[in-house]
Amino acid sequence: MSRIRFIEITLLVALVAALTFFGYIGYEAIPKPTPTPIPRLTFDGALALEQVDAQMAFGPRPTGSEANLRLGDAITQTLQALGWQTTIQDFTYRDTPARNILAHRAVVSAAGPTPGPTRSSARRPVVLLGAHYDTRLYADNDPDVSRRDEPVPGANDGASGVAVLLELARSLDVAAIGDDIWLAFFDAEDNGRINGWEFIAGSRFMAQNLPMPTKPEVVIVVDMIGDADQQIYLERNSDEKYQQQLWQIAARLGFETVFIPQPKWTMVDDHIPFKEAGIPAVDIIDFDYPYWHTTQDTTDKLSGDSLERVGRVLEVWLEETR
């Protein structure tokens, strides 16, 4: 290469560098790497099972107990850390203080977040997902009669439903859903027939004192859905239209062997007060659980896969069909 040619190239490189430095050649001229898309969160059964473990660490959690109070605080803090607004609904049942916990997520748009539940709920249909977080005071169904005065640990009957809701709180793409999503955690559900108590006191109080400005279009309750030997039949007190939607999604996801499209149980569960108030309601429950109301209702009977199947059905139903 001639000396003159070398000098010309050197000057050209220097000129380009100077123009870039002074802004004459912008960053548009520099090839940009293709941004890596952020993967959409999906329901994770392993994380849901961790939520069961976290609840079980409090011990039995009957209404009015210190463990119940501490768990309610932990649920509230978890929801708030995930960006959900929370409301506490205090009430008293048979001289025992109790509280329902309600969570709502503001929708973020280009104009910013919708300020508060009132505006958002007024514009969009409300879907309420619910589970009870209290546990039974006595294991009166235990095959060992000597243990029937012990409390129920409540891994499946209590913690499993709460775990599904908390994992949905993490994974749901709320902005992509056409509905206004509320999560309800009911207290005072599980002490029926003990000391004059009735079942489902917390959900009944909420149904009679709805805290959202718009009546829910539908209520979906999840209860006892973590059993490793999962068998979820159509519950006879549930709304058939919404049952069909959910069970069809389960079949599409390959879960037809556990979401069994046959009616079996007729349950008095947290969906009943809403049904009585004229709101369509569905109970997703696996009542074929041999450890119900026994001291053996412990985490080793549960499976993250079972929790994930229920969570994925609800996730797809909300994000793709609503």
Side-chain angles (χ1 to χ4, degrees):
M1 179 185 295
S2 70
R3 179 178 176 82
I4 295 174
R5 182 63 176 160
F6 176 78
I7 293 172
E8 289 176 349
I9 293 173
T10 302
L11 290 173
L12 179 61
V13 171
L15 177 61
V16 170
L19 289 172
T20 301
F21 178 81
F22 288 106
Y24 292 104
I25 297 180
Y27 287 109
E28 292 77 9
I30 303 172
K32 298 178 182 178
T34 303
T36 302
I38 299 174
R40 187 174 65 83
L41 297 175
T42 57
F43 191 100
D44 188 324
L47 293 179
L49 194 59
E50 289 180 9
Q51 292 287 1
V52 172
D53 286 330
Q55 294 172 74
M56 294 294 284
F58 290 99
R61 307 164 297 281
T63 300
S65 68
E66 179 65 23
N68 176 280
L69 183 64
R70 290 169 54 216
L71 173 59
D73 290 343
I75 290 171
T76 301
Q77 291 163 8
T78 299
L79 292 164
Q80 290 173 348
L82 292 169
W84 292 70
Q85 303 166 1
T86 57
T87 301
I88 301 299
Q89 191 178 53
D90 293 300
F91 64 102
T92 301
Y93 183 78
R94 299 188 70 83
D95 299 322
T96 301
R99 58 179 176 168
N100 295 324
I101 301 166
L102 203 70
H104 170 267
R105 182 82 176 263
V107 176
V108 178
S109 65
T114 302
T118 303
R119 282 182 56 194
S120 179
S121 296
R123 290 201 308 265
R124 305 159 72 220
V126 171
V127 172
L128 179 67
L129 308 179
H132 75 91
Y133 71 95
D134 64 308
T135 57
R136 190 164 177 82
L137 188 60
Y138 300 122
D140 49 354
N141 201 39
D142 203 286
D144 184 347
V145 176
S146 68
R147 303 194 67 182
R148 289 184 179 177
D149 61 348
E150 297 180 27
V152 174
N156 198 31
D157 193 2
S160 69
V162 170
V164 166
L165 293 196
L166 290 177
E167 175 57 9
L168 283 171
R170 183 197 69 86
S171 60
L172 273 180
D173 185 358
V174 176
I177 301 171
D179 299 312
D180 196 42
I181 307 301
W182 295 69
L183 306 177
F185 301 81
F186 305 118
D187 201 356
E189 188 271 351
D190 211 15
N191 278 339
R193 299 193 302 268
I194 294 177
N195 300 330
W197 281 47
E198 297 178 352
F199 286 108
I200 61 174
S203 54
R204 190 170 299 283
F205 183 86
M206 183 177 289
Q208 294 171 351
N209 302 273
L210 287 172
M212 66 279 296
T214 303
K215 182 188 256 190
E217 178 184 295
V218 60
V219 173
I220 309 293
V221 167
V222 287
D223 191 6
M224 295 174 58
I225 39 71
D227 186 6
D229 182 23
Q230 194 175 47
Q231 303 168 65
I232 305 176
Y233 289 88
L234 298 170
E235 191 276 326
R236 295 179 186 273
N237 276 330
S238 294
D239 183 87
E240 293 184 6
K241 169 190 167 184
Y242 289 104
Q243 272 186 330
Q244 290 301 316
Q245 291 179 9
L246 292 162
W247 262 250
Q248 286 171 6
I249 288 171
R252 194 183 94 194
L253 294 174
F255 305 153
E256 65 275 4
T257 59
V258 292
F259 274 79
I260 303 165
Q262 301 171 15
K264 186 171 185 179
W265 300 107
T266 303
M267 304 301 302
V268 176
D269 207 348
D270 285 317
H271 64 311
I272 292 296
F274 299 97
K275 178 183 178 181
E276 293 173 346
I279 301 170
V282 173
D283 191 19
I284 300 177
I285 186 169
D286 176 3
F287 202 58
D288 290 279
Y289 183 64
Y291 312 105
W292 177 65
H293 289 181
T294 75
T295 58
Q296 301 305 305
D297 183 8
T298 48
T299 311
D300 58 300
K301 314 301 190 307
L302 275 57
S303 162
D305 290 340
S306 296
L307 298 171
E308 184 163 305
R309 282 189 286 266
V310 174
R312 287 287 291 135
V313 167
L314 290 171
E315 185 178 48
V316 171
W317 178 67
L318 289 168
E319 292 182 355
E320 297 186 14
T321 67
R322 297 295 304 165

